[in-house]
Amino acid sequence: MHNSPRLRKTTAASAASLLLAIAVTGCGGNNAATQGTDKGEGSGKRGSITVSLYDRGSVPAEEGTMSDNRWTKWVNENGPVNVKYVTVPRFESLQKFNVLFASKSAPDLIFEFDTAYQGQLYNQKQLLPLDDLIAGSSTEYKAMLEKYPALRKAGTMADGKLYTVGRPIQFGPQHYLFIRNDWLKKLNLEVPTTPEELLKVAKAFTEQDPDGNGKADTYGTGLSFVAGIILNNMFGTGFTLFGEDQYPWVLENDQVVHDWDRIKAAVSFQKALYAAGVVDKDFVTDKNGEKQKQDWISGKLGIYGGNGADVSTYETLKKNSPEAEVIPIALPTTEFGQFSPTLTSPIQMTGMVNAAAKDPESVMKMIDFMVTEKYTTTIQNGIEGVHYKKTADGRAEVIDPEKNKKELEYNRDMGMLTPLIGKNYGLKNKVNPTPAEQDFIAIYERPRSCT
């Protein structure tokens, strides 16, 4: 099988990091940092820093805000430095960061998944080289570099210096192309294996009343956000539909080249879907895919591009449409071959230090804290005895799933240096998975032909 098109993603800094730097994509916060005695891991005078944090609009009102909640308070009570979180909207993060840099108010520690933007900041000399800082001030992250040397390779820019920090991550699919198998069965259709068959299935899902309510209220396929990315992946291009996140590059004969033919074919196919009336006509305004997600979970969409770990979306779909049978499918084969959707990278670079940071040593203390077992376990699992209990083999068993949904799940972007590996990561390692999670484990393990 060909590599995922996202494996062709490059930063502006160095083509050498091409195959390692895969992305997996007004909000200023005012969290008052704890003052006074050092309650954290370090010693000596307690520093104060600013740290960026994605805001996805998912914090329950009773929990506070993304910049001021139980977990940001926990960091300030237990960490080595005072932290003020500066929130940025997840799907408009680059625009927000640009404004912050222009106004000279960008955070000291910056977290951003987009490796192309990391390269842009490097070229603009906005980032601090970290080699000397790590050598002189780090313990925990230095140890992680030694354990996972690819982190250093992936974080090194064209001048040979290290500028980004990251984490190891379990390799596997990040995106899936899901289809309503119960609709296929009802309409006597097969899983599509070519673009033409995909269009045919999408037309049937749109025109033949697959939900049986007697209304013309279903769409064949999604076209925004992840679904659009996947449809581009189908043609072997990493070109995406929205924003600055464009990767129209391919690797040919060990050269990174701009491939117009694949982009043209991908856009032509999407145009055909649009012209056939099988997609939401307003897809172009659905930049974060939320409208498309609502169509899916309400049982009005037949083909959906989603993230592999999004159990809550599947759970909501099953509540609304208990008869829904969801399966993942291999991407249809095009004239360019057969490809996979986006894959995760074994190494993911996520963090940078602002060149204008006034206290780099305190920033390094925070980076070190964020990779400790104390921090990663808490951000992933919550407080022991409150949100989880340990099993005999050291895994975290959830005490009250509903409590965790409200009090824990919104904090995931605080763990952008947390290694996504090990016995407490992934559905297959979860203690007592819910029925929806068991379904998703079966979805993951379902074979998908791909030559």
Side-chain angles (χ1 to χ4, degrees):
M1 184 177 80
H2 294 274
N3 286 333
S4 165
R6 288 298 291 269
L7 293 177
R8 304 186 184 99
K9 179 176 181 179
T10 183
T11 69
S14 173
S17 62
L18 175 67
L19 299 179
L20 290 171
I22 304 174
V24 149
T25 22
C27 296
N30 290 303
N31 181 51
T34 304
Q35 303 294 325
T37 304
D38 183 359
K39 299 179 182 179
E41 305 282 323
S43 59
K45 183 179 178 181
R46 185 176 175 91
S48 297
I49 66 171
T50 52
V51 178
S52 77
L53 181 59
Y54 286 141
D55 189 343
R56 300 175 186 262
S58 59
V59 184
E62 59 268 36
E63 287 291 293
T65 65
M66 198 65 245
S67 61
D68 186 7
N69 55 68
R70 71 175 67 230
W71 304 112
T72 60
K73 292 172 183 175
W74 181 89
V75 168
N76 279 294
E77 291 166 359
N78 293 273
V81 297
N82 301 324
V83 177
K84 177 182 178 181
Y85 285 96
V86 178
T87 57
V88 297
R90 171 62 187 100
F91 299 108
E92 296 177 359
S93 59
L94 305 192
Q95 297 94 314
K96 180 65 176 182
F97 280 129
N98 286 338
V99 170
L100 292 171
F101 274 108
S103 62
K104 300 187 184 302
S105 58
D108 300 315
L109 180 54
I110 302 158
F111 287 105
E112 171 57 51
F113 286 124
D114 191 327
T115 54
Y117 189 67
Q118 295 170 13
Q120 178 181 321
L121 292 179
Y122 160 76
N123 285 333
Q124 294 171 349
K125 302 187 184 305
Q126 301 278 19
L127 304 182
L128 184 73
L130 303 177
D131 304 83
D132 292 342
L133 184 62
I134 291 172
S137 303
S138 176
T139 55
E140 300 290 340
Y141 192 74
K142 183 192 294 184
M144 199 155 85
L145 283 176
E146 293 170 355
K147 186 174 182 180
Y148 304 101
L151 283 169
R152 183 177 293 278
K153 185 175 181 180
T156 299
M157 297 296 187
D159 64 358
K161 297 178 182 179
L162 180 68
Y163 286 88
T164 60
V165 293
R167 59 185 176 180
I169 186 171
Q170 181 175 296
F171 179 74
Q174 178 177 334
H175 293 161
Y176 286 78
L177 187 60
F178 296 115
I179 195 166
R180 285 288 296 270
N181 196 41
D182 55 315
W183 287 10
L184 287 175
K185 293 175 180 178
K186 181 176 180 179
L187 302 179
N188 295 314
L189 297 168
E190 300 292 331
V191 170
T193 60
T194 66
E196 294 76 18
E197 290 177 2
L198 180 60
L199 176 56
K200 176 183 175 182
V201 168
K203 282 179 65 67
F205 284 174
T206 304
E207 299 170 356
Q208 296 183 28
D209 192 24
D211 62 351
N213 69 352
K215 300 177 182 178
D217 59 354
T218 55
Y219 291 116
T221 183
L223 190 52
S224 60
F225 197 45
V226 173
I229 293 171
I230 290 175
L231 291 177
N232 284 309
N233 292 167
M234 192 170 80
F235 290 86
T237 175
F239 186 80
T240 64
L241 292 177
F242 301 113
E244 300 174 49
D245 194 30
Q246 313 289 347
Y247 312 112
W249 307 96
V250 295
L251 190 64
E252 287 185 355
N253 301 319
D254 294 326
Q255 297 292 319
V256 178
V257 299
H258 198 295
D259 191 297
W260 296 105
D261 292 337
R262 299 178 190 222
I263 295 171
K264 181 180 178 181
V267 173
S268 295
F269 178 66
Q270 292 157 24
K271 181 180 178 181
L273 292 173
Y274 185 87
V278 302
V279 301
D280 184 352
K281 296 292 187 182
D282 295 324
F283 80 93
V284 73
T285 63
D286 186 25
K287 293 190 175 184
N288 62 4
E290 282 302 312
K291 171 62 167 59
Q292 178 178 263
K293 181 186 289 187
Q294 292 305 312
D295 291 336
W296 175 252
I297 64 179
S298 63
K300 299 303 178 183
L301 184 64
I303 301 172
Y304 175 69
N307 288 304
D310 194 359
V311 178
S312 62
T313 294
Y314 172 79
E315 196 170 32
T316 306
L317 168 63
K318 291 291 285 185
K319 287 180 181 177
N320 293 330
S321 303
E323 75 286 357
E325 180 185 350
V326 176
I327 61 171
I329 63 172
L331 299 195
T333 302
T334 70
E335 64 266 38
F336 302 101
Q338 188 176 33
F339 301 87
S340 75
T342 298
L343 304 175
T344 60
S345 169
I347 296 297
Q348 185 181 45
M349 309 312 293
T350 57
M352 303 155 281
V353 179
N354 190 338
K358 294 182 174 60
D359 187 359
E361 287 77 14
S362 289
V363 177
M364 195 70 244
K365 286 182 180 180
M366 183 60 183
I367 292 172
D368 270 8
F369 181 52
M370 290 182 70
V371 300
T372 61
E373 184 175 355
K374 177 178 180 178
Y375 183 97
T376 59
T377 298
T378 301
I379 295 304
Q380 278 188 310
N381 303 308
I383 305 300
E384 185 174 3
V386 177
H387 299 99
Y388 76 96
K389 58 184 178 181
K390 281 187 179 180
T391 62
D393 61 358
R395 291 184 295 162
E397 181 177 359
V398 174
I399 296 173
D400 183 346
E402 292 304 314
K403 180 181 180 69
N404 284 15
K405 281 184 180 180
K406 182 179 72 173
E407 297 184 358
L408 184 64
E409 289 188 0
Y410 65 83
N411 80 351
R412 296 315 183 198
D413 291 313
M414 294 180 70
M416 287 180 68
L417 289 180
T418 299
L420 299 183
I421 54 176
K423 61 187 176 184
N424 272 316
Y425 177 71
L427 285 179
K428 293 179 70 173
N429 290 324
K430 190 163 186 178
V431 182
N432 299 324
T434 66
E437 290 167 341
Q438 292 174 28
D439 283 354
F440 240 61
I441 292 171
I443 287 172
Y444 288 156
E445 296 179 341
R446 181 183 177 92
R448 295 177 293 283
S449 60
C450 188
T451 57

